[in-house]
């Protein structure tokens, strides 16, 4: 598996992000969908990576700089074909390492509270993330779980 910075221009990543947004809209009410679209992911405070096995796109993830010491994990997604292959774990490891290299002191994320998000919450907990209150511009939401960890 190879993880690289992605400029979000390829058809494979467009399809994966559309799959991601469609799933989020199917599972969560509109006011609880915090997944970013292509334009939002291109903002300068966001670095976006994709994971590949040869020419197969396995997944993606992003790091959003909230300030000089705090980052947020965004757009973690593994394609349906590559679930349970370690791609999500590898991407999360990559993002945590990158956050450390940038000198961040804290890394946070928002994920869903519904049963479909349980595997993601377990993955984040296995990396030392613990539930916390809303951060940045988030507000309390019964469909959201906020998690954070020190680096």
């Amino acid at each position: 598996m190879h993880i690289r910075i992605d400029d979000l221009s390829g058809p494979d990543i467009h399809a994966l992000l559309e799959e991601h947004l469609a799933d989020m809209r199917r599972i969560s009410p509109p006011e609880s969908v915090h997944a970013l679209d292509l334009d939002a992911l291109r903002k300068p405070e966001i670095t976006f990576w994709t994971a590949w096995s040869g020419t197969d796109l396995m997944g993606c993830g992003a790091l959003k700089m909230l300030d000089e010491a705090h980052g947020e994990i965004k757009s973690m997604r593994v394609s349906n074909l590559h679930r349970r292959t370690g791609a999500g774990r590898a991407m999360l490891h990559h993002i945590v390492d990158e956050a450390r290299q940038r000198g961040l002191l804290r890394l946070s994320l928002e994920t869903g509270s519904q049963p479909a998000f349980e595997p993601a919450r377990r993955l984040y907990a296995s990396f030392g993330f613990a539930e916390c209150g809303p951060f940045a511009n988030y507000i309390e939401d019964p469909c959201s779980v906020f998690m954070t960890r020190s680096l």
Side-chain angles (χ1 to χ4, degrees):
M1 181 183 330
H2 173 71
I3 296 175
R4 66 178 191 225
I5 289 179
D6 198 294
D7 66 4
L8 297 153
S9 64
D12 290 344
I13 192 56
H14 288 199
L16 181 60
L17 288 171
E18 282 302 317
E19 173 187 291
H20 179 56
L21 287 168
D23 271 0
M24 298 306 99
R25 291 178 184 130
R26 180 181 53 77
I27 296 168
S28 300
E31 66 275 9
S32 297
V33 175
H34 302 290
L36 301 177
D37 63 18
L38 282 167
D39 289 336
L41 287 168
R42 289 187 176 115
K43 291 189 176 179
E45 65 270 18
I46 296 177
T47 305
F48 187 86
W49 294 275
T50 47
W52 299 83
S53 176
T55 59
D56 289 339
L57 175 60
M58 298 181 77
C60 62
L63 175 60
K64 178 180 180 181
M65 299 296 293
L66 299 174
D67 61 40
E68 66 280 350
H70 190 187
E72 179 183 2
I73 295 173
K74 296 296 293 181
S75 299
M76 281 283 295
R77 178 71 180 197
V78 173
S79 74
N80 290 334
L81 294 174
H82 294 96
R83 297 269 165 99
R84 294 171 179 71
T85 64
R89 181 168 293 282
M91 181 60 72
L92 185 55
H93 189 272
H94 182 83
I95 293 171
V96 170
D97 281 352
E98 179 67 23
R100 280 193 184 108
Q101 289 175 5
R102 293 182 186 191
L104 297 182
L105 302 176
R106 177 156 303 283
L107 195 54
S108 302
L109 61 93
E110 180 276 338
T111 190
S113 63
Q114 300 91 330
F117 295 98
E118 179 59 30
R121 293 191 303 269
R122 280 196 314 268
L123 174 64
Y124 298 134
S126 77
F127 273 74
F129 286 87
E131 289 190 28
C132 64
F135 60 92
N137 295 324
Y138 292 105
I139 59 171
E140 284 291 345
D141 181 342
C143 294
S144 289
V145 173
F146 304 100
M147 301 180 83
T148 194
R149 66 161 288 172
S150 297
L151 297 173

